Structures are given as structure tokens and as C-alpha cells.
Amino acid sequence: MPQVLTLPHGKLTRYAAAQHGPKPALILCPGGGYEFCSIREGAPAARAFARDGVESFVLEYDCAPVPLDTMPLHTLAAAVAWVRRNAAQLRIAPDRIAVGGFSAGAHLAGMLAAVWHRPEWFAPDTDLQCHRPNAAVLCYPVVTAGEYGHRGSFARLAGTDPEKQRAFSLEMLVDARTPPVFLWHTLEDQTARVENTLLLEAALRKAGVPHEVHLFPHGVHGLALADLETCDPARGRRPDRHVNRWQALCAEWIKEL
């Protein structure tokens, strides 16, 4: 049975890799528009990465009460800090801990990657280095509060004030201290438009942050692994062996950190 850890405003489930350590680790945040945590974007992806030698965790973060503000950010930060503090016991390399996610969960992972070193986002006594991610994996991410933003996600996160929403816009937050980023998106995504990834990629390039980007021509939003386990035909989410390759490419990328 997977190990489960209860955190303030969330739950962290471990999916152990069989390889001996020290292993890289990936903490995954499912999407769901900051309204819920998608099951399809949690355990199946974590199991796939664990099979590829990446110690994996799924963070189920609270999505109420709204506006959420920094509550999900603090929950993810606590998860990273716990993994780092227990790295030796878990046979994890403490300097190879990545955060990742899908859609709104990718926004959450991107937030920690962008602001981990900024004390104004955290409690006064927070050890910023302890929750520092060493990489970020962002799958069809919600990024911008601007023209191409996913309105529902930003409303649940920051309320209806456009200025407060812009404060959570990732392309405005990344800087030279953002860790390396792996990005993928589909050009046909009409929920979180591909412009989200393009805006973030431009910001990462401007800041000099190493990153890898994959843009697939076909596929709707929310494909997850794009395999039989995570398909959702009623919503057009069909298996696609070409898109499914993102996971193997990402596992290789993580293990090369």
C-alpha cells in the first residue's frame, strides 16, 4: 500500500521506485481548476514515473474555502520540505526533488518554482531553502491571468479582482532563480490555451532558465498520460501513443538533473 502523509490542507501519497537510492523525486499536483484534484492526473502518472525510477508523490491539496490565495502554495511547500527532510530515509537525493502538475496543478507547481525564494509569499519563520524545488514539470499548464487565462482557476485562487489575479500570473513571476522546467502542451487545447505555455517559455528564455518544451499538434485538454488508463472518451480524451511519449521523455529529463 502507498504511504500516505497528512499535511496542513492536503494529503501526500508516496509511490516508491524500486531502484536503490539516491533517487530523483517528483511531487505531482493533479489539476481540476482549483475546484478538485483529478484522480486521472494523480496515481496513474505517479506509478508511471515510479516504474521509470523516479520516486513519486501525489499531493491532494484542499480546494476550499475560496479564494484559496496562498493556501495551496504553502501545502506544496510543506510537501517538498517533508520529502527533503526525510530524503535519507526515503533514499532520495535531496538536491533532485522536482515539483510537477497538470493544468491548475501545473500552475501550483509553477508558483512554487517561481516564488520559493521570496519571503513575502510565506510565513515569517519559513526555511525557504527547505522547500526549494530543483525542477518543475508543467503539463498543459494554467499560466496567465491575462487574455488567455483560465478564468475559473484564477477566480478560485484569487477572487474576482483582476489585480489580485495578475499577482499569480506565472509569466510575471519567473526569474533567474527559477529551477529548470519541463513543459508540454497540445495545440488544440481550448481550455488552457497553448499560449499559456508559449508565454511562460518566453519568460523562461528571457530569464535564462533551462527548459525543455514539447508541443503536440493534436489533443484536447486533460489528456494526462494519454493512455488507456487515463482516457476519458466522453470528453474527447483518447489514447494517443505519440502524446504519451511525454512521460518517458520527462522521466529521462528528471534523471539527468
Side-chain angles (χ1 to χ4, degrees), residues 26-30 57 76 98-102 105-106 108-110 135-139:
L26 174 62
I27 301 171
L28 285 168
C29 304
F57 302 82
L76 177 56
V99 293
F102 300 83
L108 173 53
V137 175
L138 310 184
C139 311

Side-chain angles (χ1 to χ4, degrees), residues 99 101 103 106-107 110 136-143 170 174 179-186 194-205 209-216 246 249-250 253:
V99 293
S103 191
H107 177 271
V137 175
L138 310 184
C139 311
Y140 41 89
V142 169
V143 169
L170 296 185
V174 298
V181 178
F182 182 100
L183 286 155
W184 75 270
H185 221 121
T186 61
V194 71
E195 282 83 358
N196 282 265
T197 283
L198 298 177
L199 285 167
L200 183 56
E201 190 280 329
L204 293 169
R205 189 156 25 96
V209 176
H211 58 284
E212 180 169 328
V213 184
H214 297 273
L215 299 179
F216 298 97
W246 78 263
L249 291 167
C250 185
W253 180 83

Side-chain angles (χ1 to χ4, degrees), residues 213-226:
V213 184
H214 297 273
L215 299 179
F216 298 97
H218 304 299
V220 299
H221 186 75
L223 288 178
L225 292 177

Side-chain angles (χ1 to χ4, degrees), residues 68-124:
L68 299 169
D69 197 51
T70 57
M71 186 174 72
L73 175 67
H74 293 174
T75 303
L76 177 56
V80 175
W82 182 87
V83 171
R84 180 161 283 122
R85 286 195 300 266
N86 291 277
Q89 177 184 346
L90 299 170
R91 296 182 297 170
I92 288 170
D95 58 348
R96 299 172 71 197
I97 300 172
V99 293
F102 300 83
S103 191
H107 177 271
L108 173 53
M111 277 294 299
L112 185 60
V115 306
W116 67 268
H117 58 290
R118 302 184 187 185
E120 64 270 24
W121 286 91
F122 302 97

Side-chain angles (χ1 to χ4, degrees), residues 12 16 22 28 33 38 43 47 49 52 62 77 110 118 171 188 195 207 211 235 239 242 250:
L12 188 67
L28 285 168
S38 168
R47 287 193 293 264
F49 278 102
D52 284 340
D62 288 355
R118 302 184 187 185
E171 79 276 20
E188 293 179 343
E195 282 83 358
H211 58 284
R235 298 189 178 185
H242 183 57
C250 185

